[in-house]
Amino acid sequence: MTSATSDPPRPVVLEAVLERITYANEDTGYTVARVATGRGGGGYADADLLTVVGPLLGAQAGESLKLTGRWRSHPKYGKQFEVDSYTTVLPATVQGLRRYLGSGMIKGIGPVMADRMVEHFGVEILTVIEEEPERLVEVRGLGRKRTRRIAEAWEEQKAIKEVMVFLQGVGVSTSLAVRIYKQYGDASIDTVRREPYRLAADVWGIGFKTADTIAQAVGIPHDSPERIKAGLQYTLSEAADAGHCFLPEPNLVTAAEKILAVPRELIGPALDDLAAEEGVVRERLPGPGEDAAAIPAVYLVPFHRAENALARGLRELLEAGHDRLKAFADVDWDRALGWLRARTGVELAPEQEQAVRLALTSKVAVLTGGPGCGKSFTVRSIVELAAARRAKIVLVAPTGRAAKRLAELTGHEASTVHRLLQLQPGGDPKYDLDDPLDADLVVVDESSMVDLILANKLVRAVPRGAHLLLVGDVDQLPSVGAGEVLADLLHAETIPRVRLTKIFRQAQQSGIVVNAHRINSGEHPHTHGYPDFFLFPCEEAEQAAETTVDVIAHRIPRKFGLDARRDVQVLTPMHRGAAGAGALNGLLQERLTPHDDKRPERRYGGRVFRVGDKVTQLRNNYDKGEAGVFNGTVGLVTAVSLEDQSLTVRTDEDEDLDYAFDELDELAHAYAITIHRSQGSEYPAVVIPLTTGSWMMLQRNLLYTGITRAKKLVVLVGSRRALAVAVRTMGAGRRHTALAHRLTRAV
C-alpha cells in the first residue's frame, strides 16, 4: 500500500479521440469527457470509452488529443484520467478522420460530406485539404465554390490554433482565442505581447483581469503607469456595470487600490495623467444636502457626455418655442374627456385625467405608478385623444415583448428603442438632432429600464416641439445599464409628473397586484386564497431547484395549459448557486430539450445548444439582423447545422438570426434568467426560487420587480425565511448619478 507521504504519480501521456463532453464549467474550464483510445478499432460502445477530467475547455468532439496527466481512482466513478494539459493532434485513422471532419469544426463539412471525403481520399484527406484543396471537387457534391470555402476555413482553423497555443502559454483560456483572432487577425500575437491592455477595450468578453494576467505573463511590470491607468478605467467600468455614472474620487482610489494591489500613492499621479489624456473626466458636483461638501466626481468619458447631453436635450424639449400638439393648449377638456368616455366605455379617475391633460399639454412628462393603478389605460386614453387630432404618434419600449404589449394595448404600431432609432454598426443611430423622427407624440413604456446612454440617443431623436411621455414604475429595479433615468426625472423639480396610486377594484382580485403592493410597502405577501399566486415551501436550495423544474415541466402545463418554454419564465435573484439561473438552466434544458442522438447539437464552452433551446443575447451586436440584436433579446433555437457551422434563433420579435459557431459566446440559455435581466419584459407565468443562498440579493425591489413581470401567474419556490428577508430588506440605495442636478441647474 502506498504511504501518504509517497511522491504523486508521474505524468503520463494518453492519446485519444474526444467522443463527447458530459460536463463543462465555463468559469473554471473544468471538464468531464468521454474519450476513445483506439483500442476498439472504431464504432465504440459506451463501455469502451474512458473518462477524462480536467481543463479541456475549447476542445471539440471529434478532435484527436494528446493528454498529459495521471490515472486516478474516483471513489464513486472509478478509474479516470486526470488531465493537466492537452494539445490537439490530427487524427490518423479513417474512423478518427470521419469524426474529426464531421464534427462541425470546419465550415462547409457536415457528417455526410465527411463520410464521402474520407471514403474517397482515405487517410490522405487532410493532406489533400492542406496541399491540394482543388482536388476536393472529385468528391460527389463538392463544387469549386464550396471547395474554396473549405480551404479558407481550414487555413483559419490553423491560424486560430497557433493563437490558442500562444495564449495557453500566457494563461488565457482557449475559448477567447477565436475572439482575439477575429479582432486582430495575423497581428493577434504581436498585439497580445506589446499592448495587452488593449484587449480589455477591443475584445468583448475580455476585461481588465484577463488582460492583466496576459500583461504579467509577457513581462509588463506590476506597478507600470499603463497598468494603473488601465486599472482605474476598469474600476469605473465595473462601477458602470453596477449602475453608477461616476464614482467619487476617494471611492475610485480605494477600489482601484484593492484591484491593483499597488501603493495608494502611485494611483493619484496615474489618475492625473489619465485625466490629462482625456481618458476620464473630473467634475465637482454638489453634495446631497445644502451644507454637504462638494463631491469630486470621476467619469468615464461616454457617461459624462451622455449625462450632459441628456439634460440639455430634455431642457430643449421643455423650452421649445413651438408646439406640435398646440391643439390641446385650449381644448375643451370636459368635451374631450366625454368623447373619450363614450369611445372606451370607461371613466377616468381624477389622477388619470390629470395625467392625460399633462401628457398632451406638457412637452415632457412622466407617468408612474404600480400594477393595477391604471397606467396602461391612461396611456391608451392619451393615444386615443392624440390620434383623434391626427397627431403623428410614435410608441416605443425597451424590449420586444414590451413593444408588442404596447401595440396590443393601443392598437397602434410600437417598436423597440433600438429598432426605432435604426442603430447602425458601431451603435450610432440613424435618427438624431440633425435628422429627427417625424413625430408629434413619443410615448416610452417601461422607461424604468432605459439607461443613460440609450435615453440620450432617444431624446436626441425627438423633434423639438414634439411631446415626450415617459411611462414606468419607479419602484422596480433601475436599468441594467448605468444611470437611473426615471428616478432622476422624478427627483428633478423641472420635469412635470403624475403618480397613479389608486388600485382599481378589479385589480384587487389579483394576488399578483395585491401582493406586489404589499411587498412594496414592506408587508409579507398573502400566499393563500388567490388563484394566481402560490408558494411551494422548500428549505434547501437543491430541493428548491428540483421543485422549480417540476413546477415548470409538469404542474403549470397540466393545471394552466401553459407552454413550459414559451409561456413560463424562471426569474432568480442570482446566477450562481444550486437554485441560481446557471444551475437551473442546465436542469431545465435536460428536462425540456434533452440530448437526442438523432438531432445535431453544438457545445460552446460550458454550454450545449440544441434545437428547441430557449436562449438570450448577452451583448449588443449592431451587425446582426435587420437592425441589430440587443442584450436581453430572447428566442428559441430552430436549427443547428454542423455543415454550415451555424445555428438559427427565432427571436421574440419574430426575426430569424443566424449565429456562426464562433459567435455562440453571445448566447446563453434563458429557461432561467436573473430578475435584473427580466426588466421590461412580461410573461404569462413567472416562477421565482428564493433561498437563503441568495442572501446578498434578497431585496424588496428585486422581488417586487420579479412579481410584476407576471401577467397571469406567480409561483414562489423556496424558504419562508428567504421571502421574509427579501420583503424587509430595502434596496442598495441610489446610484451615483447627476442627471437630476443637471436638469435643475444650467449646464
Side-chain angles (χ1 to χ4, degrees):
M1 186 173 178
T2 306
S3 70
T5 57
S6 64
D7 293 333
R10 295 183 64 180
V12 295
V13 174
L14 176 70
E15 293 191 6
V17 176
L18 181 58
E19 289 291 315
R20 71 173 181 273
I21 294 173
T22 56
Y23 170 79
N25 185 308
E26 213 170 346
D27 297 321
T28 64
Y30 179 80
T31 302
V32 179
R34 299 282 279 168
V35 302
T37 60
R39 290 177 300 187
Y44 308 103
D46 196 63
D48 297 324
L49 302 179
L50 301 172
T51 298
V52 298
V53 299
L56 281 171
L57 212 58
Q60 297 291 342
E63 285 190 309
S64 293
L65 306 176
K66 184 176 284 188
L67 306 162
T68 302
R70 298 164 180 81
W71 289 103
R72 301 281 193 192
S73 182
H74 190 280
K76 182 175 180 182
Y77 300 110
K79 190 176 182 182
Q80 297 179 338
F81 190 79
E82 191 174 85
V83 178
D84 292 330
S85 63
Y86 79 93
T87 56
T88 304
V89 295
L90 296 178
T93 66
V94 167
Q95 181 68 20
L97 286 163
R98 282 197 176 106
R99 292 281 287 121
Y100 180 69
L101 291 173
S103 67
M105 182 179 304
I106 300 167
K107 198 165 188 175
I109 306 176
V112 173
M113 188 54 66
D115 284 347
R116 286 188 201 162
M117 293 167 69
V118 174
E119 186 178 337
H120 185 83
F121 291 109
V123 294
E124 300 300 317
I125 178 60
L126 298 184
T127 305
V128 172
I129 297 174
E130 173 87 30
E131 299 176 5
E132 302 177 275
E134 66 279 359
R135 289 189 57 199
L136 293 175
V137 295
E138 298 173 21
V139 179
R140 179 168 52 89
L142 283 185
R144 295 191 182 282
K145 184 177 178 182
R146 199 164 168 200
T147 296
R148 190 164 53 248
R149 205 169 114 200
I150 291 170
E152 289 169 355
W154 177 260
E155 287 300 317
E156 185 177 32
Q157 278 293 326
K158 282 171 55 185
I160 290 171
K161 290 289 184 186
E162 286 179 25
V163 175
M164 281 183 175
V165 170
F166 171 74
L167 290 176
Q168 283 179 327
V170 293
V172 180
S173 71
T174 54
S175 60
L176 296 176
V178 173
R179 282 182 236 164
I180 292 172
Y181 183 79
K182 284 176 72 173
Q183 179 70 30
Y184 302 117
D186 293 340
S188 296
I189 293 175
D190 191 57
T191 303
V192 169
R193 278 195 179 121
R194 296 176 182 276
E195 301 176 272
Y197 291 109
R198 264 186 67 188
L199 273 62
D202 293 350
V203 182
W204 180 76
I206 296 183
F208 170 79
K209 290 183 178 178
T210 301
D212 199 35
T213 300
I214 298 169
Q216 290 182 51
V218 298
I220 292 180
H222 189 69
D223 58 357
S224 158
E226 292 307 310
R227 177 176 183 267
I228 296 172
K229 285 188 282 187
L232 284 163
Q233 289 183 309
Y234 167 73
T235 305
L236 287 171
S237 178
E238 287 283 283
D241 288 345
H244 301 293
C245 296
F246 69 85
L247 280 182
E249 190 169 317
N251 301 33
L252 170 61
V253 172
T254 299
E257 185 182 13
K258 288 180 182 176
I259 289 167
L260 292 164
V262 297
R264 193 180 183 92
E265 56 267 22
L266 296 179
I267 297 175
L271 182 57
D272 293 340
D273 290 345
L274 196 56
E277 296 164 6
E278 299 184 352
V280 296
V281 177
R282 281 166 150 164
E283 181 181 1
R284 296 193 76 77
L285 297 170
E290 284 190 16
D291 301 324
I295 298 170
V298 184
Y299 285 81
L300 287 173
V301 173
F303 298 107
H304 188 261
R305 286 179 180 163
E307 198 173 71
N308 277 291
L310 176 56
R312 185 166 55 249
L314 288 166
R315 283 201 313 275
E316 288 173 359
L317 286 175
L318 275 169
E319 298 163 5
H322 62 292
D323 190 343
R324 296 182 66 147
L325 290 179
K326 61 183 178 183
F328 289 98
D330 53 5
V331 74
D332 182 338
W333 281 104
D334 288 339
R335 185 179 174 189
L337 293 170
W339 173 88
L340 183 67
R341 184 167 55 250
R343 185 171 176 82
T344 63
V346 178
E347 183 160 359
L348 293 172
E351 56 189 18
Q352 289 178 302
E353 281 190 18
Q354 182 190 355
V356 169
R357 292 190 190 204
L358 187 68
L360 296 171
T361 57
S362 177
K363 297 189 187 81
V364 179
V366 174
L367 171 61
T368 189
C373 293
K375 286 197 308 296
S376 295
F377 188 74
T378 304
V379 170
R380 179 184 161 191
S381 301
I382 292 163
V383 171
E384 290 271 9
L385 284 170
R389 293 285 181 158
R390 301 187 185 282
K392 294 174 180 175
I393 302 164
V394 169
L395 304 178
V396 66
T399 67
R401 284 175 181 259
K404 277 185 181 178
R405 188 175 70 244
L406 187 56
E408 291 164 2
L409 167 71
T410 62
H412 288 256
E413 186 179 344
S415 72
T416 63
V417 182
H418 299 96
R419 288 189 180 277
L420 173 71
L421 299 180
Q422 294 182 33
L423 299 186
Q424 311 297 308
D428 292 326
K430 176 183 175 183
Y431 296 103
D432 58 16
L433 273 174
D434 298 323
D435 185 13
L437 299 162
D438 185 14
D440 302 321
L441 171 66
V442 178
V443 179
V444 186
D445 199 12
E446 293 286 0
S447 56
S448 63
M449 73 167 294
V450 178
D451 62 36
L452 173 69
I453 300 293
L454 192 59
N456 179 46
K457 289 177 179 177
L458 178 59
V459 167
R460 285 172 62 85
V462 177
R464 280 29 184 174
H467 288 221
L468 174 64
L469 174 64
L470 295 146
V471 184
D473 185 348
V474 75
D475 292 320
Q476 289 181 15
L477 289 168
S479 57
V480 174
E484 44 186 348
V485 173
L486 185 63
D488 281 341
L489 296 185
L490 290 169
H491 278 89
E493 298 172 2
T494 51
I495 305 295
R497 81 290 305 273
V498 171
R499 181 162 192 155
L500 304 179
T501 56
K502 178 186 175 185
I503 306 176
F504 286 88
R505 186 178 303 166
Q506 63 269 30
Q508 293 174 8
Q509 311 307 311
S510 164
I512 297 171
V513 171
V514 169
N515 284 327
H517 284 276
R518 287 183 65 83
I519 289 165
N520 203 31
S521 301
E523 300 175 69
H524 200 279
H526 294 309
T527 55
H528 298 284
Y530 288 105
D532 60 351
F533 199 99
F534 300 90
L535 169 67
F536 286 82
C538 300
E539 288 306 315
E540 300 300 325
E542 290 78 7
Q543 184 191 2
E546 290 173 12
T547 303
T548 297
V549 172
D550 185 54
V551 164
I552 288 153
H554 297 297
R555 299 194 190 201
I556 289 177
R558 189 168 57 235
K559 183 174 177 63
F560 297 96
L562 297 174
D563 184 271
R565 281 177 297 175
R566 286 185 172 84
D567 300 329
V568 186
Q569 184 61 58
V570 181
L571 301 180
T572 67
M574 293 176 64
H575 182 78
R576 295 178 184 273
L584 283 169
N585 270 317
L587 294 171
L588 285 163
Q589 183 191 38
E590 287 309 309
R591 185 69 64 90
L592 300 175
T593 51
H595 171 75
D596 183 343
D597 285 331
K598 296 177 182 177
R599 295 196 298 176
E601 60 182 42
R602 178 65 175 183
R603 178 174 290 278
Y604 190 97
R607 306 182 184 115
V608 180
F609 294 96
R610 299 171 181 147
V611 172
D613 274 341
K614 187 176 185 178
V615 293
T616 184
Q617 176 77 11
L618 296 178
R619 63 177 287 236
N620 291 344
N621 185 334
Y622 303 102
D623 301 318
K624 190 171 290 295
E626 287 183 21
V629 59
F630 303 96
N631 185 4
T633 298
V634 173
L636 291 179
V637 176
T638 56
V640 176
S641 171
L642 297 180
E643 186 168 315
D644 294 330
Q645 282 196 286
S646 69
L647 61 76
T648 304
V649 174
R650 179 81 167 174
T651 72
D652 56 10
E653 295 179 54
D654 299 323
E655 183 178 12
D656 290 319
L657 300 175
D658 291 326
Y659 288 80
F661 284 166
D662 61 10
E663 295 178 312
L664 295 184
D665 55 344
E666 296 188 14
L667 291 177
H669 292 103
Y671 300 100
I673 60 175
T674 62
I675 294 172
H676 277 92
R677 289 191 68 82
S678 74
Q679 291 166 256
S681 293
E682 186 179 70
Y683 313 94
V686 161
V687 180
I688 305 176
L690 292 171
T691 68
T692 51
S694 302
W695 198 267
M696 295 298 293
M697 295 300 294
L698 294 175
Q699 296 170 1
R700 186 181 303 168
N701 62 347
L702 191 87
L703 180 58
Y704 174 81
T705 299
I707 286 171
T708 55
R709 299 305 86 210
K711 191 159 53 174
K712 297 178 181 177
L713 175 68
V714 167
V715 179
L716 306 181
V717 179
S719 150
R720 294 183 187 276
R721 183 181 176 210
L723 175 58
V725 170
V727 169
R728 70 169 179 260
T729 305
M730 296 292 287
R734 293 295 307 276
R735 296 174 169 187
H736 291 301
T737 71
L739 179 60
H741 158 68
R742 298 185 198 283
L743 284 167
T744 306
R745 299 187 184 186
V747 176

